Amino acid sequence: MTEEVIDSHPLAILDTMEVSMKGGSTLLNIVLALVMFGVALGIKPATFVDIIKNPKSIITGIVCQIILLPALTLLLIIACGDLLSPMVALGMILVSCCPGGNISNFITSFSRGNTELSVSLTAFNTAACIFTTPLNFALWGKLYLDFAGKHSMNLPKLEIPFPEIFQSIVIIMGIPLVLGILCAHYYPKIADKLKKPLQNLSILVFIAMVVIIFTGNVDVFMKCIKYIFLIVLVHNLLALGIGFGTSTLLKLPYKDRRTVTIETGIQNSGLGLALLLNSNIFPPEEWAHNGGMLVITAWWGVWHIISGLTLAFTWRLRGRKEANDE
């Protein structure tokens, strides 16, 4: 990116943030691969059979997350117009292109949703993200840039490195996913012992990445926190609304509606951060001012846990008769 990206926009100051892994990107990828391996330990090959047994709910969840969320994210960005800076908008698109977060299974269980459906959706979307994340980011990112260009926004031409993103996701998620599923199948006792420690590791890794982003940039972040909070709040509500609205429109069982809602509203922002901090995908010489993308992705990872748990706690307290009847 060039200096031209930074203008008088109130969020443009975010793009002055300087975030560097200082040679630690390889270590980060290794740790994230371990985290993905831990997620896969809870996925059994039989889980994918649910896609055939319960096609309506599964397909609804997949469509909501892979198609509707990024598409309606673009419409939200267009509707916001000049209220968003280009990098913040691209950050929203990147988050919408990530698969569901692994904490969605716990939140679904806590909300008394359909845990089996949640695991099935997480398994499918995580496996599919090897292809869907780079393809969606390339598609919707370019559509946004075309739109922005037509509206006289001063943006340089952006080349989204599909091969590099694909390669990174295969290494970070694809290989660990397969190994984790195989481990759970052939060595279930070992898998049970490893699951919880690796889940805890995933939380620590995300916290570490957020700290890396905000260290040395606290002043910049505090100047924009009210804008970032509102943007992520609205975007997350859109994601939750897509899940609940679509599943309600299609008259899914109430437990399945809760599950699809949570799966659509909980995104794997840790993957988004890993991609953004990978200098092979977002080289510093071209992406010197992508702080808006980093902050949006990082704050999404914090906020969706808060909103997901709040929603789950509300559902649990209400104890709706529909949930008990399913």
Side-chain angles (χ1 to χ4, degrees):
M1 292 294 173
T2 67
E3 295 293 338
E4 294 175 338
V5 175
I6 299 180
D7 52 27
S8 59
H9 195 284
L11 292 174
I13 189 173
L14 289 175
D15 298 333
T16 64
M17 290 175 54
E18 295 184 5
V19 181
S20 174
M21 290 302 296
K22 296 180 179 179
S25 58
T26 301
L27 178 61
L28 173 63
N29 289 338
I30 292 173
V31 174
L32 286 172
L34 287 173
V35 170
M36 192 62 240
F37 177 78
V39 172
L41 291 176
I43 301 173
K44 298 178 181 179
T47 299
F48 292 96
V49 177
D50 291 340
I51 297 173
I52 299 174
K53 288 183 177 179
N54 191 15
K56 186 176 180 180
S57 294
I58 287 284
I59 292 173
T60 300
I62 292 171
V63 169
C64 284
Q65 190 161 60
I66 295 179
I67 299 175
L68 294 182
L69 181 54
L72 293 181
T73 294
L74 178 62
L75 291 180
L76 173 63
I77 291 169
I78 292 173
C80 289
D82 293 339
L83 295 175
L84 303 176
S85 71
M87 290 299 104
V88 166
L90 284 173
M92 294 169 65
I93 291 173
L94 178 62
V95 169
S96 72
C97 295
C98 290
N102 59 324
I103 197 175
S104 63
N105 303 148
F106 165 75
I107 294 178
T108 295
S109 176
F110 184 73
S111 71
R112 294 176 180 169
N114 187 336
T115 306
E116 291 76 16
L117 174 62
S118 177
V119 172
S120 298
L121 282 169
T122 298
F124 180 87
N125 287 327
T126 299
C129 84
I130 297 171
F131 304 99
T132 58
T133 295
L135 282 172
N136 266 339
F137 186 52
L139 171 63
W140 300 107
K142 285 183 180 297
L143 283 174
Y144 164 68
L145 290 178
D146 289 343
F147 170 83
K150 291 176 182 178
H151 286 72
S152 301
M153 295 179 70
N154 196 12
L155 281 174
K157 184 178 179 181
L158 174 64
E159 294 294 335
I160 299 174
F162 177 85
E164 287 79 3
I165 295 178
F166 179 83
Q167 181 181 22
S168 293
I169 294 178
V170 168
I171 294 172
I172 295 172
M173 303 192 75
I175 296 175
L177 178 71
V178 173
L179 293 177
I181 292 174
L182 292 175
C183 180
H185 180 69
Y186 290 107
Y187 306 101
K189 291 183 179 179
I190 296 177
D192 288 339
K193 291 180 180 179
L194 290 175
K195 244 188 309 189
K196 190 171 182 179
L198 289 177
Q199 285 176 349
N200 292 335
L201 177 64
S202 67
I203 297 174
L204 293 175
V205 168
F206 180 79
I207 292 173
M209 287 192 289
V210 172
V211 170
I212 289 171
I213 289 172
F214 293 131
T215 298
N217 297 286
V218 175
D219 292 341
V220 173
F221 176 71
M222 292 308 295
K223 290 178 181 178
C224 300
I225 180 59
K226 58 183 179 182
Y227 302 110
I228 296 301
F229 179 85
L230 182 60
I231 291 167
V232 172
L233 172 65
V234 173
H235 193 197
N236 184 235
L237 285 175
L238 172 68
L240 294 169
I242 288 170
F244 190 78
T246 304
S247 56
T248 299
L249 184 65
L250 296 176
K251 299 181 179 179
L252 297 187
Y254 201 82
K255 288 178 70 174
D256 291 6
R257 295 182 201 178
R258 293 181 175 187
T259 302
V260 172
T261 301
I262 292 169
E263 285 293 324
T264 310
I266 303 294
Q267 294 298 97
N268 190 345
S269 52
L271 172 64
L273 288 179
L275 296 176
L276 285 169
L277 293 172
N278 188 321
S279 59
N280 292 323
I281 297 174
F282 294 95
E285 60 272 15
E286 298 177 19
W287 291 83
H289 305 299
N290 68 342
M293 294 182 72
L294 285 162
V295 171
I296 283 291
T297 306
W299 187 248
W300 237 95
V302 174
W303 179 251
H304 71 181
I305 296 175
I306 297 172
S307 65
L309 287 174
T310 301
L311 184 60
F313 187 70
T314 302
W315 274 332
R316 190 178 181 90
L317 281 183
R318 290 175 66 179
R320 297 189 60 158
K321 184 178 182 298
E322 295 94 332
N324 294 326
D325 288 342
E326 297 299 336

